Amino acid sequence: MPVEQNHKQETKPPVKVGLALAGGGPLAVVYEIGALAAIAEAIEGLDLNKADIYVGVSAGAVITSALANGVTPHQMCRLFVESDVEAAEGALLFRPETLLRPALRELAKRARTVPRLLASSLLHYARNRKSLAGSFERLKEALPAGFLSADSLGRYLESVYSQAGRTNDFRKLGRKLVIVATDLDTGKAVRFGETGWDSTPISTAVQASAAVPGLFPPVEINGHHFVDGALRKTMHSSIALEEGVELLLLVNPIVPYNARFKAGAGKLVNGGLIDVLSQTIRSILHSRLETGLASYQVSHPHVDILLFQPSEADAELFFTAMFSYNNRRHTCEQAYQHTRQALWQQRHILGPKLARHGMRLRESVLQDKSLRLVSDAPPRKSLLELDAALADLERYLRVVHGVEAQQ
């Protein structure tokens, strides 16, 4: 008598997905929004608001904290790039220009030390009469630890995450979020969101992770002073690997610029100190990232790691001024289109990797040349809500159902 077979298919457990984002200032925020919007549209079966773990460093912490709170890349585009007040239910708008405000408290604090330090220096020189430079060296303590204030970033995120349905508390998130900052006094990386550091408000942790040394003063938390999380590692994606993810998505907005790709391009040294420092920092950060990824491929061969980043031939991205409203719009759209193009060009490589996790590329979406993320011009305030609703509806129909827009 034949044995009756059970034809019921076993339910496959959901794939464990991680997302890690690097930093890079306002440029990184804008680039990552555009890149993530393209990824969200193009990969069926992937929900960027439902990753199992988010790891954010510096500017990447801004984006990951928003994703973990349910804010989509398209909503972030309207908040940070298009200045659409309806994008997140009336949240205050954030403008990168506010990061150019002077750190008045830090400047005042240091200024108050000048009389004491000057008197001490004069007294030391009068007593010793040896080295004038040595006696006045102590005046270096009057130099501020940072010249610009990032308080507006912390206040803005606090206002967004205090709204209904969102939280500024790591412990109340439905997803694991880790924000990395560096303890200035030990040089060690601290993982906000993990046990022992999960009581810090998310907005404060983001501000600490984004405190670029020399630009922004260190952020004091529980008696410790914190600065940019990229001091130790560029992305800290190993945190996601420790969680046992099977698919790891990485977005790195900072790559060194290769002027040799552009005919007639001048030497970067002609651009002066800013260009030289920018290229130096980019090269260091990217080199560390490449070294880390190479080691992860050996230590975690079973994990599919997908890296998205700009082309090193992208001169516009290297030289753009991020505090310009029009440049932000252009850069975000550029990141969106560049990522769509990269997904299409690598479809034969990405396809099998995504298929292993029950996902696939929407090739019809990538072939749709008419899709744009950023509108050509800011809409009139009276039409903001209607324009946003119509744009979202059209995008949904075209991306999910393949319906062409009527011309």
Side-chain angles (χ1 to χ4, degrees), residues 17 45 58 95 138 188 279 287 297 311 320-321 328 338 342 399:
V17 178
S58 192
R95 302 184 185 280
R138 64 200 64 203
K188 302 296 184 182
Q279 181 75 331
S287 175
Q297 291 172 354
S311 166
T320 194
R328 293 201 301 274
H338 168 81
V399 170

Side-chain angles (χ1 to χ4, degrees), residues 248-278:
L248 178 57
L249 305 177
L250 311 176
V251 181
N252 171 48
I254 302 299
V255 298
Y257 170 55
N258 192 336
R260 296 184 184 275
F261 281 106
K262 186 175 181 180
K267 298 290 185 180
L268 288 180
V269 70
N270 296 334
L273 178 62
I274 299 299
D275 285 355
V276 172
L277 289 178
S278 177

Side-chain angles (χ1 to χ4, degrees), residues 4-46:
E4 184 176 341
Q5 296 182 356
N6 186 358
H7 293 287
K8 291 184 179 180
Q9 294 183 350
E10 295 184 2
T11 303
K12 187 177 179 180
V15 61
K16 199 166 185 179
V17 178
L19 178 64
L21 305 181
L27 170 68
V29 171
V30 173
Y31 184 90
E32 288 172 350
I33 289 172
L36 290 171
I39 293 169
E41 291 179 1
I43 301 180
E44 183 177 322
L46 174 67

Side-chain angles (χ1 to χ4, degrees), residues 18 21 35 41 63 79-80 120 163 210 226 234 241 278 307 312:
L21 305 181
E41 291 179 1
I63 305 301
L79 277 171
F80 289 93
S120 175
Q163 293 183 349
F226 293 95
T234 300
L241 294 173
S278 177
L307 172 64
E312 61 180 10

Side-chain angles (χ1 to χ4, degrees), residues 224-238:
H224 297 258
H225 290 86
F226 293 95
V227 293
D228 198 322
L231 264 63
R232 296 284 298 184
K233 291 183 180 179
T234 300
M235 196 176 288
H236 292 272
S237 51
S238 58

Side-chain angles (χ1 to χ4, degrees), residues 14-19 45-48 50-54 240 244-249 357 359:
V15 61
K16 199 166 185 179
V17 178
L19 178 64
L46 174 67
D47 188 338
L48 292 177
K50 293 182 179 179
D52 294 275
I53 179 170
Y54 299 90
V245 298
E246 301 162 85
L247 176 64
L248 178 57
L249 305 177
H357 308 291
M359 305 176 190

Side-chain angles (χ1 to χ4, degrees), residues 386-406:
L386 177 60
D387 278 359
L390 292 175
D392 288 344
L393 176 60
E394 180 182 337
R395 184 176 297 276
Y396 173 79
L397 292 173
R398 295 169 69 180
V399 170
V400 179
H401 297 290
V403 177
E404 293 293 335
Q406 298 296 320

